Amino acid sequence: MNDNLAMYEEISNPLDSVEDFLSGHDWIFTRPNPDELTVSVTGNTGAYRLAFLWQEEFSAMQFFCEYDLRVPPERQEMAGHALRAINERIWLGHFDVPQDTGIPCFRHTSLFRGWTHSSNAEHVSDLVEIALSECERHYNVFSLLASSL
């Protein structure tokens, strides 16, 4: 068998590691299909919806940490300025406010080719910790953008 094909076959779905991590925190999650997992968590400043999407064809996992806030259309331009200032200063991932939903979120895509179940678990743990920390740190900005003044 071709070594490249063997490498792809050894890749485990990292959402299995996500399940282990979430269960270890007693967080209740839903997994509507093998390639998608969501969970709602409460931080110090707000509530967040975490979503994990596995794309086996690319050995990649998209991760979203959405705020329980909505930026109205009239503040989208202001949100763009805030996003630019925030995203210039973070090392991993980025913030986004999609025009169609107005829901601010932290996003990051990770490549998992050649990773093992244990390295997946450590990566997922770090990713969730970083995302929640960044979301907490920038909560006030998005809360102000979402509030009616």
Side-chain angles (χ1 to χ4, degrees):
M1 177 185 295
N2 183 327
D3 287 338
N4 289 336
L5 292 177
M7 183 187 316
Y8 284 108
E9 289 179 10
E10 293 173 13
I11 300 168
S12 64
N13 184 332
L15 297 189
D16 298 336
S17 298
V18 172
E19 277 191 5
D20 294 344
F21 171 77
L22 298 176
S23 295
H25 283 80
D26 294 325
W27 291 344
I28 298 171
F29 57 88
T30 58
R31 192 162 178 186
N33 63 61
D35 298 331
E36 180 181 355
L37 189 149
T38 61
V39 61
S40 294
V41 300
T42 302
N44 294 324
T45 56
Y48 307 99
R49 180 181 162 274
L50 309 180
F52 303 83
L53 305 172
W54 172 240
Q55 294 181 325
E56 186 173 5
E57 129 185 49
F58 301 115
S59 301
M61 182 184 71
Q62 290 186 26
F63 169 70
F64 305 86
C65 183
E66 294 180 329
Y67 287 91
D68 188 20
L69 301 168
R70 187 174 309 275
V71 176
E74 63 272 13
R75 296 224 182 98
Q76 285 287 329
E77 187 175 339
M78 193 182 309
H81 293 292
L83 289 170
R84 186 171 50 252
I86 291 170
N87 286 333
E88 287 176 351
R89 292 173 177 81
I90 59 177
W91 284 73
L92 178 75
H94 68 278
F95 282 93
D96 191 13
V97 180
Q99 282 190 331
D100 61 336
T101 66
I103 299 173
C105 68
F106 176 90
R107 297 173 45 132
H108 181 68
T109 300
S110 300
L111 300 176
F112 280 85
R113 187 178 345 180
W115 289 43
T116 64
H117 186 77
S118 61
S119 61
N120 288 350
E122 291 172 3
H123 180 73
V124 166
S125 175
D126 291 343
L127 183 58
V128 170
E129 182 180 322
I130 290 166
L132 290 174
S133 174
E134 291 292 341
C135 286
E136 294 277 290
R137 186 162 68 114
H138 299 292
Y139 182 86
N140 290 337
V141 172
F142 294 111
S143 179
L144 284 172
L145 286 167
S147 69
S148 55
L149 299 174

